[in-house]
Amino acid sequence: MEPHLRLVTGSIDRVFTGRQPWQIVAITTTTVLGSIWLCQVLFQEESLYRRAKKKVFKLARLIPAVRRRVDAEIEKINDGFIKDISQTGNYYTELPHDSMGQAEILKKVDEYLDLGHYRWKEGFISGAVYYYNPELIKLVTEVYGKASYTNPLHPDVFPGVCKMEAEVVRMTATLFHGGPAACGTMTTGGTESIMMACKAYRDYANDQRGITKPNMVLPVTAHTGFDKAAKYLGIYTKVVPVNGDTTEVDIAAMERAINRNTVMLVGSAPNFPYGTMDDIEAIAALGRKYNIPVHVDACLGGFLIVFMKRAGYPVRPFDFSIPGVTSISADTHKYGFTPKGSSVILYSEKVYRHYQYTVTTEWPGGVYGSPTVNGSRAGGIIAATWATMMNFGLDGYVEATKRIIDTTRYIEQELRAIKNIFIFGTPATSVIGIGSRDFDIFLLGGELSNLGWNLNSLQFPSGIHICVTYMHTEAGVADKFIQDVRSKVALIMKNPTKPVEGKMAIYGVAQSVPDRELIGDFTKCFIDSMYYTPVDQKAAK
């Protein structure tokens, strides 16, 4: 007998020798139940450490003194958000008794759209608005107006809008080297596209493999839309680290995270924080090895990377040309330059798209089927997306891509030459992540904000990034940004230990708070503030 087996049997002998039958039953029952409980604790998808940490903070909040302190901090944060948002003038809190004239309505709309101080039309913001051209706005406004009351939920009534959607999907699939079987749908944005892929793979795995406790394996840099989808759909996220130098996903760690309940693998092309691209070929190889679908999230830069080779920039394989890539999400409303609320989710074959659909056959209202989250959808957005793509054409997109990538490479090169800051990894498309080992990078973010620049803040580790858009390609904008960064870094280095103040300080503090639920409470306060209306004001004056 093996030594470890002798140890086990010897222990059993000592436990049961001299016991009464009822005692043996009791001991056995307790041992079995305890083992089941231990297995449930140790082998849940979420780590024991994370669950213990959450439990400790949850129990701490039950202490009256702690609860009062937490409530006071939340109220303080909430008051600050409300103070900021309430400076936007009077509010309508009830319908006016008399109808408002069209001229007055248009005047009010202009007033509302002029709120805010960032010069987004001049390229002073990171991402958010990817193209601005009055002539294009005129076109899509007219197209949207023509199709504003159409609804593809009723294809027999509005077949033309459905045709436009089918053409947008097919044109996009072709750009991503999809074969004849490639297919997809339009959605209202990247998060919905991601959610649809997660829903499809969850249901596919349940039906084909009997998986009832699904998980997805994804890099820590993958878009938070996957976490949102997981919470909606009951999927556990197994987050794996990235290489500290390249900021690309650790392929070995990804493989270790795969288990029999894994329903999908995720790679970014590129990721949001640093703009670097994961090794999609290596992820696809894992997908083939373990027979798991692979989703490529190209929401951010999809409508750049598909044109980069034509624009003269080499790019690693990332699309359906790689065996094992089964779905791709790409936002037309970013570098496709279409109006907001437009994205595409693509699949390598129809079997996956079928699991995206929701079909009800027993409803008294009739057989019901819808392709995405929404039932009724805005036909105007579909038509405007189609019109925008037709307006640019292949050559127009290639030219825009060349200008954007040229500008991004120029900014990256100049920033790398500035001492005391560094660039995260190697940007694949248009996002440049900036960090510092010599001062708190949020100092730079705050200083640039004071000059009118609106950049994105990153955490774990601290960083900021600029997402270069078409507006940054206009004459003088990139040079202005580089000059401002250079001058502010020089200023900061005169007192590099200066504490961060203002809104940028929140990001640094947020990272240092171990109770992430508290940060979640602060975030909810911020979201609440976006829906602020005064309680004592009946109508705007």
Side-chain angles (χ1 to χ4, degrees):
M1 185 180 292
E2 294 294 328
H4 63 278
L5 292 180
R6 284 201 300 269
L7 178 63
V8 171
T9 55
S11 298
I12 292 174
D13 287 340
R14 287 192 295 273
V15 169
F16 290 118
T17 299
R19 303 283 187 181
Q20 296 295 321
W22 67 268
Q23 292 176 312
I24 294 175
V25 171
I27 292 171
T28 303
T29 302
T30 303
T31 303
V32 170
L33 292 175
S35 298
I36 293 173
W37 175 84
L38 184 61
C39 287
Q40 289 176 336
V41 170
L42 294 179
F43 297 104
Q44 287 185 40
E45 295 286 8
E46 189 174 35
S47 70
L48 182 61
Y49 169 75
R50 287 182 63 184
R51 281 178 282 128
K53 182 178 174 182
K54 288 181 181 178
K55 190 67 175 179
V56 168
F57 287 123
K58 189 172 184 178
L59 291 173
R61 286 191 179 210
L62 297 177
I63 301 172
V66 174
R67 180 72 258 176
R68 286 193 296 271
R69 179 67 183 273
V70 168
D71 289 343
E73 288 299 319
I74 292 175
E75 185 176 356
K76 181 180 177 182
I77 291 289
N78 187 63
D79 288 344
F81 289 144
I82 294 298
K83 181 180 179 181
D84 288 342
I85 202 70
S86 62
Q87 306 301 312
T88 56
N90 295 319
Y91 285 78
Y92 289 95
T93 58
E94 293 181 356
L95 278 172
H97 289 286
D98 298 323
S99 64
M100 187 180 290
Q102 291 189 10
E104 188 177 358
I105 290 173
L106 292 174
K107 179 182 177 182
K108 286 288 183 182
V109 168
D110 287 339
E111 289 176 2
Y112 281 29
L113 293 180
D114 283 340
L115 295 174
H117 65 279
Y118 286 110
R119 297 150 60 186
W120 59 270
K121 294 180 183 179
E122 301 172 44
F124 273 68
I125 63 172
S126 170
V129 181
Y130 294 82
Y131 191 86
Y132 182 77
N133 182 299
E135 289 300 313
L136 179 61
I137 291 174
K138 181 180 179 181
L139 171 66
V140 298
T141 299
E142 186 170 351
V143 170
Y144 188 94
K146 289 177 179 291
S148 59
Y149 282 89
T150 63
N151 183 355
L153 181 64
H154 304 281
D156 53 338
V157 182
F158 306 109
V161 172
C162 292
K163 181 182 179 184
M164 289 182 189
E165 179 177 11
E167 290 179 356
V168 168
V169 170
R170 185 65 254 175
M171 288 188 291
T172 307
T174 300
L175 290 172
F176 283 93
H177 294 104
C183 59
T185 69
M186 288 184 65
T187 69
T188 57
T191 295
E192 187 185 0
S193 290
I194 288 169
M195 185 176 293
M196 290 294 89
C198 294
K199 192 261 185 196
Y201 293 139
R202 182 199 66 175
D203 291 357
Y204 174 82
N206 179 261
D207 187 44
Q208 298 293 320
R209 297 164 55 193
I211 293 178
T212 58
K213 296 182 178 180
N215 69 64
M216 67 175 92
V217 179
L218 67 164
V220 67
T221 49
H223 195 274
T224 189
F226 289 97
D227 185 60
K228 186 174 185 177
K231 290 175 179 176
Y232 271 86
L233 299 169
I235 304 173
Y236 179 72
T237 55
K238 302 189 75 172
V239 179
V240 296
V242 296
N243 180 285
D245 295 323
T246 66
T247 69
E248 297 175 19
V249 66
D250 184 329
I251 297 298
M254 176 169 272
E255 183 167 19
R256 288 193 298 271
I258 295 171
N259 64 21
R260 64 182 182 180
N261 288 325
T262 301
V263 301
M264 64 186 292
L265 307 178
V266 175
S268 302
N271 63 53
F272 174 84
Y274 313 115
T276 54
M277 187 166 72
D278 293 319
D279 189 342
I280 304 301
E281 288 183 293
I283 297 173
L286 292 180
R288 296 194 303 271
K289 179 178 179 180
Y290 294 100
N291 193 29
I292 298 172
V294 171
H295 179 79
V296 176
D297 176 27
C299 285
L300 175 57
F303 273 76
L304 289 175
I305 52 176
V306 292
F307 303 114
M308 281 180 63
K309 282 188 177 180
R310 294 181 179 91
Y313 284 95
V315 61
R316 291 186 298 177
F318 58 86
D319 57 16
F320 290 127
S321 63
I322 306 172
V325 171
T326 53
S327 61
I328 299 172
S329 52
D331 285 357
T332 42
H333 71 199
K334 290 189 173 73
Y335 293 100
F337 307 135
T338 70
K340 292 301 178 183
S342 170
S343 179
V344 177
I345 173 64
L346 303 171
Y347 298 98
S348 59
E349 48 189 310
K350 289 182 181 179
V351 63
Y352 299 118
R353 184 173 66 173
H354 284 174
Y355 285 98
Q356 173 183 306
Y357 298 161
T358 298
V359 177
T360 303
T361 60
E362 306 300 324
W363 181 42
V367 176
Y368 178 89
S370 64
T372 61
V373 169
N374 297 296
S376 293
R377 291 185 291 153
I381 288 293
I382 293 173
T385 298
W386 181 90
T388 303
M389 293 177 71
M390 290 299 186
N391 177 72
F392 274 90
L394 181 63
D395 290 344
Y397 279 122
V398 171
E399 176 59 27
T401 296
K402 179 170 175 52
R403 289 186 60 170
I404 292 168
I405 301 301
D406 283 349
T407 301
T408 303
R409 296 292 187 267
Y410 171 65
I411 293 174
E412 177 192 353
Q413 176 183 323
E414 294 299 311
L415 291 181
R416 288 188 185 276
I418 299 175
K419 292 182 179 181
N420 309 114
I421 62 173
F422 66 87
I423 305 302
F424 287 98
T426 302
T429 55
S430 58
V431 173
I432 306 170
I434 308 167
S436 177
R437 299 181 184 90
D438 300 321
F439 61 86
D440 190 328
I441 194 64
F442 295 137
L443 282 171
L444 178 59
E447 291 290 345
L448 292 174
S449 179
N450 292 337
L451 294 179
W453 295 100
N454 179 260
L455 305 185
N456 299 88
S457 298
L458 315 175
Q459 61 177 355
F460 309 129
S462 297
I464 56 177
H465 87 208
I466 180 171
C467 179
V468 178
T469 69
Y470 195 86
M471 274 87 87
H472 295 109
T473 70
E474 299 296 339
V477 178
D479 287 324
K480 171 65 174 170
F481 177 72
I482 294 164
Q483 176 186 343
D484 287 346
V485 171
R486 185 179 291 116
S487 64
K488 289 303 180 182
V489 168
L491 176 66
I492 290 168
M493 288 307 298
K494 293 179 180 179
N495 184 16
T497 60
K498 176 184 175 182
V500 183
E501 298 176 348
K503 291 183 179 179
M504 297 304 298
I506 296 175
Y507 293 101
V509 172
Q511 291 178 88
S512 64
V513 176
D515 185 356
R516 306 312 294 173
E517 186 176 338
L518 185 59
I519 302 303
D521 289 340
F522 293 161
T523 305
K524 292 171 186 175
C525 289
F526 175 74
I527 297 173
D528 282 344
S529 72
M530 293 190 294
Y531 295 92
Y532 165 81
T533 54
V535 295
D536 58 349
Q537 181 178 308
K538 294 298 182 183
K541 298 178 181 178

